[in-house]
Amino acid sequence: MSQLTSFLLVLSLCAFAPLCFSGKTKRGYLYPQFYDHSCPKAQEIVRSVLAKAVAKEARMAASILRLHFHDCFVQGCDASILLDSSGTIVSEKRANPNRNSARGFEVLEEIKSALEKECPRTVSCADLLAIAAKESTVLRGGPSWEVLLGRRDSRSASLSGSNNNIPAPNNTFQTILTKFKRQGLDIVDLVALSGSHTIGNARCTSFRQRLYNQSGNGQPDYTLDQSYAAQLKTRCPKSGGDQNLFFLDYVSPTKFDNYYYKNILASKGLLNSDQVLLTKNEGSKELVKKYAENSQLFFEQFAKSMVKMGNISPLTGSRGEIRKHCRKVNS
């Protein structure tokens, strides 16, 4: 069945479902049934390969989730982050937010290889990453959602976009919110999506300034619990140990839950960008409190915000391509 026929079928199925086209964009539609006929086992294949990788290393779930976030904030959700440098392409992997920290590329290539075997040149790397982000969340005990599909892959990357658009751990609250708003996301999305820090790790270099020199005056960040700070200092010295890893959520580091928000309320958010959700804005402070009290509310909003983020400027129709290998454009 052609994609047009498949699309018309979806139209008829959606006649009585007003939320069916929550994926409408300025340039086309994304919809969950996109591969139902062209590659019906797509999501099952992603889930299967990813489950093995996460069973081998729990941290991989957070790494994949982060890749989707860093992809969508640069040129939209187009798998540009997966491209290696070649010819005119300067890889986003070299950008400050990704260098020495973005990981999981080999797992995505393994998934892509399995998809190519099942249905060649059909499932985009951008869609693969969107599905993998959802499955990563579910594998660690988090919420599920219906992934909207139909994205295509970019033929370019943007090093400057990565450096400028992705929020940094030491950004001010206002800068982070501005970067979210630039993508069509709001303060609710910001606080909910930050909850992905309930799993995964951060490097010493990402929060060192909080321990020793928060404001350039040689003083630590006093919004950080001092006993927790003392514990962090043992493995994050003033100099050296840049790559030493620390759990973002020290209470339940591999479980997707709402302890991230409870930690923030206890002044034990690891990154500056975590703690400012409580200390720098009344609206975000109230949301942190709500999500700390009610994990169901957090899960529901996280799912909604992930769908919204996954809908940032996708390439659809004949724009872009379906890459055969995620790390390089088709020749």
Side-chain angles (χ1 to χ4, degrees):
M1 187 183 285
S2 73
Q3 285 188 346
L4 176 62
T5 314
S6 177
F7 179 70
L8 291 172
L9 175 65
V10 173
L11 267 179
S12 64
L13 288 172
C14 289
F16 301 102
L19 294 178
C20 211
F21 282 119
S22 54
K24 187 177 179 184
T25 70
K26 286 175 186 172
R27 302 190 184 99
Y29 289 104
L30 300 182
Y31 52 99
Q33 302 86 353
F34 192 82
Y35 298 112
D36 278 10
H37 300 281
S38 59
C39 194
K41 290 185 181 172
Q43 301 210 42
E44 187 186 315
I45 290 168
V46 175
R47 186 181 305 122
S48 169
V49 178
L50 190 63
K52 286 174 193 162
V54 172
K56 200 171 164 184
E57 185 196 18
R59 182 188 172 203
M60 188 55 68
S63 300
I64 298 294
L65 194 50
R66 184 172 185 259
L67 280 181
H68 183 47
F69 172 52
H70 284 207
D71 178 38
C72 291
F73 268 58
V74 184
Q75 299 188 164
C77 309
D78 62 356
S80 59
I81 194 173
L82 306 182
L83 290 170
D84 289 339
S85 292
S86 67
T88 58
I89 294 169
V90 181
S91 177
E92 292 171 17
K93 296 173 187 178
R94 295 183 181 183
N96 293 330
N98 299 324
R99 198 172 57 243
N100 298 322
S101 65
R103 60 195 297 279
F105 301 106
E106 68 292 339
V107 174
L108 296 175
E109 281 296 344
E110 191 183 339
I111 295 170
K112 181 60 171 165
S113 176
L115 287 168
E116 285 297 307
K117 198 177 285 185
E118 176 72 20
C119 25
R121 299 285 177 103
T122 303
V123 182
S124 69
C125 298
D127 275 348
L128 182 170
L129 187 49
I131 297 166
K134 186 261 288 189
E135 295 299 342
S136 293
T137 304
V138 173
L139 283 165
R140 300 321 309 161
S144 184
W145 58 91
E146 203 166 43
V147 182
L148 302 176
L149 301 165
R151 300 168 193 79
R152 287 165 66 85
D153 301 323
S154 69
R155 294 190 185 97
S156 64
S158 177
L159 183 72
S160 62
S162 292
N163 282 324
N164 296 325
N165 296 348
I166 297 170
N170 59 350
N171 279 161
T172 64
F173 175 84
Q174 197 50 54
T175 299
I176 295 167
L177 183 58
T178 298
K179 288 180 177 181
F180 268 73
K181 284 184 173 176
R182 213 181 277 160
Q183 305 298 337
L185 302 173
D186 59 27
I187 193 168
V188 177
D189 301 312
L190 163 56
V191 180
L193 292 172
S194 294
S196 61
H197 286 178
T198 178
I199 55 174
N201 303 64
R203 297 172 299 152
C204 163
T205 186
S206 300
F207 61 87
R208 176 184 280 124
Q209 89 286 346
R210 297 192 73 200
L211 302 178
Y212 305 103
N213 190 21
Q214 175 70 349
S215 306
N217 58 1
Q219 296 297 307
D221 180 354
Y222 290 109
T223 68
L224 179 64
D225 178 86
Q226 293 309 291
S227 63
Y228 183 46
Q231 194 183 325
L232 295 171
K233 283 179 180 178
T234 62
R235 288 184 50 246
C236 188
K238 269 188 180 176
S239 62
D242 284 11
Q243 307 302 319
N244 289 351
L245 293 173
F246 295 78
F247 294 130
L248 284 159
D249 167 3
Y250 75 98
V251 178
S252 54
T254 60
K255 188 171 183 228
F256 198 102
D257 56 26
N258 66 338
Y259 264 101
Y260 166 78
Y261 300 103
K262 294 178 183 181
N263 295 340
I264 291 174
L265 290 177
S267 301
K268 293 179 180 178
L270 183 62
L271 305 178
N272 179 71
S273 55
D274 297 325
Q275 200 59 47
V276 294
L277 298 179
L278 181 74
T279 59
K280 299 296 183 184
N281 181 278
E282 279 303 315
S284 63
K285 179 181 181 177
E286 287 310 306
L287 288 165
V288 168
K289 286 180 179 175
K290 280 181 183 174
Y291 298 153
E293 287 166 13
N294 188 334
S295 62
Q296 187 59 36
L297 187 69
F298 161 49
F299 276 25
E300 285 170 9
Q301 187 55 55
F302 184 81
K304 284 178 193 168
S305 294
M306 283 296 289
V307 171
K308 193 172 168 185
M309 183 182 79
N311 207 36
I312 298 172
S313 306
L315 297 172
T316 56
S318 60
R319 299 164 72 242
E321 64 181 17
I322 307 295
R323 286 183 216 143
K324 186 176 182 185
H325 300 282
C326 292
R327 57 192 170 78
K328 60 183 184 181
V329 296
N330 297 336
S331 50

